[in-house]
């Protein structure tokens, strides 16, 4: 078996895990074409909370990098970082509410017209 097919390697099954903290702060900043200070500011604003390695270094997941990229977009458009963080939090809450609403509608529709009345 080659290393490419070995799910017990250093990352194991984490390659497809959006929440696995695989990226160091330096690498994350490089990928987003931003500064480490920007990532720290997102943490201070509690938009993202990176996990810490055993040595105390920040580690970011792909999901967190997507959130940071959205924040970067808003800041690049002139939105203050605090407002950008709030906008992203509200967007996330709206998406979750819409998802729950759609699930409720599907459940009500599958229950039949007697339950809705």
């Amino acid at each position: 078996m080659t290393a490419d097919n070995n799910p017990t390697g250093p990352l194991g099954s984490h390659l497809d895990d959006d929440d696995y903290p695989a990226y160091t702060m330096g690498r994350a900043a490089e990928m987003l074409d931003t500064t480490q200070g920007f990532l720290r500011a997102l943490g201070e604003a509690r938009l993202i909370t990176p996990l810490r390695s055993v040595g105390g270094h920040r580690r970011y997941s792909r999901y967190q990098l997507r959130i940071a990229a959205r924040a970067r977009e808003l800041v690049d458009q002139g939105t203050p970082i605090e407002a950008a963080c709030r906008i992203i939090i509200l967007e996330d809450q709206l998406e979750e509410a819409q998802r729950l609403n759609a699930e409720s509608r599907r459940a009500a529709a599958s229950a039949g017209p007697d339950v809705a009345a």
Side-chain angles (χ1 to χ4, degrees):
M1 181 177 256
T2 65
D4 294 335
N5 296 329
N6 186 357
T8 60
L11 291 178
S13 62
H14 298 296
L15 291 174
D16 293 330
D17 185 354
D18 268 1
D19 295 318
Y20 183 73
Y23 303 98
T24 63
M25 176 180 270
R27 180 68 180 130
E30 181 182 309
M31 291 170 66
L32 297 171
D33 194 26
T34 191
T35 65
Q36 293 181 15
F38 179 77
L39 292 173
R40 279 191 290 277
L42 295 180
E44 289 169 11
R46 297 185 182 179
L47 180 62
I48 56 176
T49 304
L51 292 174
R52 297 283 182 150
S53 69
V54 174
H57 300 283
R58 291 173 178 89
R59 299 282 185 190
Y60 296 89
S61 68
R62 287 188 300 216
Y63 175 74
Q64 290 172 323
L65 294 183
R66 283 194 300 273
I67 291 171
R70 176 68 177 128
R72 169 85 196 272
E73 275 178 28
L74 291 169
V75 169
D76 286 351
Q77 294 170 4
T79 306
I81 194 163
E82 298 82 13
C85 292
R86 185 69 182 138
I87 288 168
I88 293 166
I89 289 167
L90 290 170
E91 287 174 342
D92 190 50
Q93 289 173 346
L94 175 61
E95 184 179 320
E96 178 67 7
Q98 289 172 330
R99 184 187 65 75
L100 291 172
N101 195 7
E103 284 178 12
S104 294
R105 276 194 228 120
R106 280 192 298 274
S110 67
D114 294 340
V115 174

